Amino acid sequence: SSDEPIAISPKRETAPYDGLTPTTPAASATIRVVDTSPNHPPAEATATVTFSDVQVLEPNVSSAWLIGSAQTIRWSQTGLQTVDLFYRVNSGPWQTITTGYDASLLSRAWSPPAAARSPQVEVRIRDSIDPSNGAADVSYVFKVYGALALNPISGVSVGTPYSVIWTTTPVSSVPMVSLFLVDVTRGQTSSIASSIANTGAFPWTPTLATAQAKLRVCDADFPSTDANACHESGIFPITGI
């Protein structure tokens, strides 16, 4: 609380009075109302007001959470009893994680569902007793992803069909993928297939020989350079005919 007085010009006023704007940060404050009318005997009344606030600490801007993994949402708060937690993807509608959760615990375990898969995810926390009081906060944008992993690649030659195989964790969590050829020798990256159904395999027929190549598979909804949503194979040669 603060003992700093805030002067308000005398005026005729009936309750409620909504012209007071706090200027000094504080967890609580005392409001004193004094009757200044010369025609009334001295009178005053006081009341202590407690302010409430919440701030999301985690996830943060660097968070990248695997679908289904054990994660923890963390926050700091003042003056709250219970909170509601939500998430949303791509600035869409808020989806409920939990409601009426004990605010004093300052954390809540969460395993991101497949529905949260996106490079743009946010978590929101608000006061559940009085959602309209302004005590709410939204996290930085972070990622929720499914992991892709290419099988080892060898025996690749120009003009010969080759089955590119990969796995997805969790299974079926990434509906669409894109495939790329990285020609390490020439310093070039080209698309093999874009936004195809994730069946775990793709028939590829190389058209150009190179001493050093890599394949990359990516979640089609993420950038093709995303370190979490993409996976590159080891280096292999593509032999000529």
Side-chain angles (χ1 to χ4, degrees):
S1 64
S2 173
D3 292 331
E4 178 184 354
I6 301 175
I8 302 175
S9 300
K11 63 180 294 187
R12 183 180 299 276
E13 189 65 54
T14 57
Y17 177 71
D18 59 2
L20 177 61
T21 301
T23 59
T24 303
S28 63
T30 299
I31 297 177
R32 179 179 294 112
V33 180
V34 180
D35 187 345
T36 59
S37 171
N39 299 322
H40 296 168
E44 67 177 58
T46 61
T48 299
V49 178
T50 300
F51 301 108
S52 57
D53 190 29
V54 63
Q55 181 179 7
V56 181
L57 303 178
E58 195 174 359
N60 53 51
V61 69
S62 63
S63 296
W65 291 356
L66 178 65
I67 293 169
S69 63
Q71 302 295 338
T72 303
I73 300 170
R74 304 182 191 277
W75 62 89
S76 62
Q77 64 90 18
T78 300
L80 299 182
Q81 297 181 35
T82 57
V83 290
D84 300 333
L85 282 71
F86 308 89
Y87 79 89
R88 71 176 177 182
V89 299
N90 304 325
S91 299
W94 291 104
Q95 307 297 324
T96 301
I97 298 174
T98 189
T99 58
Y101 189 78
D102 188 345
S104 68
L105 296 177
L106 303 181
S107 67
R108 204 270 190 182
W110 186 49
S111 294
R117 181 190 57 85
S118 172
Q120 298 186 56
V121 186
E122 296 166 287
V123 163
R124 181 172 184 254
I125 303 177
R126 73 177 184 190
D127 182 0
S128 61
I129 295 178
D130 184 5
S132 65
N133 70 2
D137 191 35
V138 176
S139 72
Y140 287 102
V141 173
F142 67 104
K143 294 184 289 188
V144 173
Y145 67 98
L148 301 167
L150 285 159
N151 285 10
I153 297 172
S154 62
V156 181
S157 60
V158 172
T160 302
Y162 183 89
S163 182
V164 182
I165 299 174
W166 63 90
T167 59
T168 306
T169 304
V171 175
S172 302
S173 62
V174 178
M176 307 288 286
V177 298
S178 296
L179 287 168
F180 302 88
L181 171 64
V182 181
D183 189 332
V184 179
T185 304
R186 296 179 176 86
Q188 299 174 346
T189 299
S190 57
S191 174
I192 296 174
S194 180
S195 298
I196 59 173
N198 182 6
T199 62
F202 183 80
W204 169 53
T205 301
T207 59
L208 186 65
T210 182
Q212 293 186 314
K214 295 188 291 184
L215 289 185
R216 180 189 303 152
V217 61
C218 295
D219 184 331
D221 290 327
F222 282 71
S224 62
T225 55
D226 191 281
N228 301 108
C230 296
H231 180 256
E232 279 191 352
S233 70
I235 293 177
F236 61 91
I238 301 176
T239 60
I241 299 176

